[in-house]
Amino acid sequence: MKIKALNGFKDVLPDEVGLWREVENQAREVFRTFHFSEIRLPILEKTDLFARSIGADTDIVEKEMYTFVDKQVTMRPEATASLMRAYIQHSLHTQKPVQRLFTIGPMFRHERPQKGRLRQFHQIDVEILGSANPRVDAELMAMAAQLFDRLGISVSLEMNSLGCPACRPAYRKLLLEFIESRIDKLCDDCKRRSTRNPLRVLDCKKPACRQEVESAPSIIEHLCQECSEHFSVVQQSLDSLGVSYQLNKFMVRGLDYYVRTTFEFITDQLGAQSAVCAGGRYDGLIELLGGGKIPGIGFAMGIERLVLLLQQKNELKGAGNGIDLFLAGLGDGASDFCYQAMHELRTLGFSADMDLESRSLKSQMKQADKAAASYTLIVGDQELEAGKATIRNMATKEQKEITLSSQAIATELEGGQY
RNA sequence: GUGGGUGUAGCUCAGUUGGUUAGAGCGUCUGGUUGUGGCCCAGAAGGUCGGGGGUUCAAAUCCCCUCACUCACCCCA
């Protein structure tokens, strides 16, 4: 094989597309009931947009973006920044005080691929803009939980609060002191993190670090009055909606713009990539990007990861690809009739197919079977002359003679469940 | 960027201490009489054994290099 897709880029073959559609359809349906609107965004944006929103010194911006350097544009590594840009550009806050939006599409990050992580990956991205109300946080998590429920995927919700510009600096200082007091016991990565992004030390995977960090000061206990109240209303609201969750004081965020509530839906079925959905509040982001002082909260879920989970469940496999009718013609005259009839039936809205290579009836029956056809029309020279055809119900094996016309065939197809 | 694992047919994989024309299952195609699918049976097509170099009378098998894929680290959905 000479020509192949790029490393980290994958084709979604027809057999798998059914699961993708399942995920997307269920998402759209759930979002509809929660009164969200879909928005479609460009994949390419000015590089500066991501540098400003995600954080210029994050790994994503520093080395993982697909950037056309000469044009100063970048393939989006996530959707939130683009969505904020569109929100600001079109002054969507003037249309409604609270905007509830979602978008679905590909994202690009030049990371080393591994299970559940590709260089082109797809996310369902949901945002609520214009409300700082903690009940919105809970509503959003409840919606995600409901989607997982409908998909039959079992995940657990973990939640934390990261504080805000008022209380995080003080906590950060406290944490730094803690880290420095035992810096020699931490791994090299954590030493680096401590200067770059101290919060990240909290979710190091190494057992030794975890143990050290166990007694670290918890941000939840150092929230300011407002953040603390916010967080407790979030919890009360989740309780009132019957959504179960766990507090995880070690859960932090990689992106700069998160404040207050953060959450992840995680699974133990995906190896190292345990997060299926992650999100949080970002009250300062819109202002940072030049919009108004507008709060926001959102989450992103990885479609590939959801599909992997559905595949592991081993249910609902490639359903819904069957056709209504397969036309089997024997001989040139019959084949000509089938060809035209097939087109007419398609025009009437039936899915139909036939063999154009004039193979044996047996072969054509096999093709009909493989196409999961509900009915097969059999036309030979005798039928053609008599103006009749045989139609076979593939499930029951019942056959009957019908008039040789598209209308008669259509009527027959209607009669059986259509 | 770093480390481990794996590269044999379209797919999943066998291939013994190097030894004839490299195998199986699934899939594909064709048959199993005269116009009928799924099951069964028979046959066929399909492979530069990832690529290059080396050792050897002889390499899928041993050595070196390279590429690809994969899992994990970093980072992150």
Side-chain angles (χ1 to χ4, degrees):
Chain A
M1 173 94 74
K2 280 208 160 142
I3 193 155
K4 289 165 84 171
L6 292 172
N7 188 14
F9 289 70
K10 276 227 161 55
D11 303 308
V12 181
L13 298 176
D15 279 350
E16 203 180 303
V17 168
L19 290 177
W20 280 67
R21 292 177 66 115
E22 166 75 2
V23 168
E24 292 165 6
N25 292 343
Q26 294 284 10
R28 289 198 163 89
E29 178 55 20
V30 170
F31 299 164
R32 184 187 67 77
T33 62
F34 280 76
H35 195 200
F36 278 76
S37 304
E38 181 166 0
I39 182 169
R40 301 202 180 189
L41 303 163
I43 285 170
L44 213 55
E45 298 273 2
K46 286 218 173 104
T47 303
D48 187 47
L49 171 66
F50 301 118
R52 281 165 67 187
S53 64
I54 295 171
D57 57 352
T58 58
D59 273 26
I60 292 180
V61 171
E62 274 185 1
K63 48 192 187 194
E64 293 175 0
M65 296 205 300
Y66 282 92
T67 296
F68 298 83
V69 180
D70 54 331
K71 304 216 164 46
Q72 301 275 301
V73 296
T74 292
M75 314 262 284
R76 64 181 181 194
E78 54 123 43
T80 301
S82 302
L83 202 143
M84 295 310 115
R85 195 226 76 230
Y87 177 85
I88 295 166
Q89 179 177 338
H90 303 287
S91 299
L92 295 184
H93 64 282
T94 62
Q95 296 180 11
K96 270 193 238 171
V98 178
Q99 285 281 359
R100 304 153 74 85
L101 300 166
F102 74 94
T103 190
I104 300 177
M107 312 293 157
F108 305 84
R109 289 185 199 174
H110 192 100
E111 301 175 286
R112 202 66 177 269
Q114 66 189 68
K115 189 179 178 69
R117 179 219 264 179
L118 297 170
R119 288 183 172 172
Q120 177 181 335
F121 57 103
H122 299 77
Q123 286 188 333
I124 299 172
D125 193 76
V126 179
E127 319 280 353
I128 298 179
L129 305 171
S131 173
N133 193 317
R135 307 196 97 188
V136 156
D137 304 27
E139 188 189 352
L140 198 63
M141 285 180 257
M143 181 170 80
Q146 197 169 107
L147 177 53
F148 291 123
D149 220 46
R150 282 178 79 128
L151 290 171
I153 290 173
S154 89
V155 290
S156 51
L157 170 58
E158 297 196 350
M159 184 170 64
N160 195 13
S161 175
L162 294 180
C164 66
C167 52
R168 188 155 26 162
Y171 168 74
R172 192 186 157 105
K173 208 174 157 201
L174 209 61
L175 179 65
L176 260 175
E177 283 166 16
F178 174 86
I179 291 171
E180 270 156 26
S181 74
R182 57 198 67 207
I183 187 82
D184 49 322
K185 292 181 179 158
L186 300 172
C187 70
D188 289 347
D189 286 326
C190 282
K191 284 176 184 138
R192 189 171 42 77
R193 288 183 187 114
S194 67
T195 59
R196 218 180 130 101
N197 189 354
L199 291 183
R200 274 285 171 191
V201 174
L202 292 175
D203 72 346
C204 183
K205 285 176 183 166
K206 296 196 178 62
C209 294
R210 287 202 166 222
Q211 207 181 336
E212 282 307 315
V213 138
E214 189 62 39
S215 55
S218 160
I219 181 140
I220 297 177
E221 284 152 21
H222 293 86
L223 295 174
C224 62
Q225 185 67 21
E226 288 77 14
C227 285
S228 182
E229 275 169 21
H230 184 96
F231 198 45
S232 67
V233 175
V234 171
Q235 294 175 64
Q236 288 162 25
S237 304
L238 282 173
D239 292 339
S240 78
L241 297 178
V243 177
S244 53
Y245 59 91
Q246 280 193 322
L247 296 185
N248 178 355
K249 64 175 182 174
F250 300 125
M251 191 184 71
V252 297
R253 279 285 93 114
L255 276 36
D256 284 358
Y257 52 64
Y258 286 108
V259 296
R260 291 192 169 170
T261 314
T262 59
F263 58 93
E264 280 179 20
F265 287 83
I266 60 174
T267 172
D268 56 4
Q269 304 292 303
L270 289 180
Q273 304 303 318
S274 57
V276 180
C277 168
R281 186 162 273 288
Y282 45 81
D283 292 344
L285 180 58
I286 293 173
E287 192 176 16
L288 177 76
L289 291 175
K293 235 175 136 61
I294 295 168
I297 181 170
F299 67 73
M301 29 183 143
I303 298 183
E304 279 84 357
R305 293 180 187 181
L306 293 173
V307 167
L308 279 171
L309 291 174
L310 288 176
Q311 280 171 336
Q312 284 176 12
K313 264 207 323 170
N314 207 17
E315 290 169 21
L316 18 92
K317 267 196 196 156
N321 278 330
I323 57 173
D324 298 324
L325 180 73
F326 191 92
L327 299 94
L330 297 165
D332 290 344
S335 191
D336 287 347
F337 169 82
C338 287
Y339 189 66
Q340 288 172 37
M342 173 171 73
H343 185 69
E344 285 164 20
L345 287 160
R346 286 171 169 172
T347 304
L348 290 172
F350 296 101
S351 54
D353 203 355
M354 68 178 286
D355 172 60
L356 298 174
E357 313 302 323
S358 54
R359 286 193 256 222
S360 70
L361 179 59
K362 177 171 183 160
S363 169
Q364 295 193 54
M365 290 302 292
K366 282 188 178 177
Q367 290 179 63
D369 188 54
K370 217 163 296 160
S374 302
Y375 287 87
T376 299
L377 185 81
I378 301 164
V379 190
D381 287 333
Q382 301 126 35
E383 280 104 331
L384 197 62
E385 230 165 276
K388 304 230 158 171
T390 302
I391 191 158
R392 177 181 176 89
N393 180 320
M394 296 299 278
T396 66
K397 298 184 179 183
E398 285 172 66
Q399 297 191 175
K400 65 169 150 179
E401 292 260 296
I402 60 170
T403 307
L404 191 58
S405 76
S406 299
Q407 200 43 249
I409 298 166
T411 306
E412 189 59 31
L413 294 179
E414 299 276 3
Q417 308 222 347
Y418 298 94

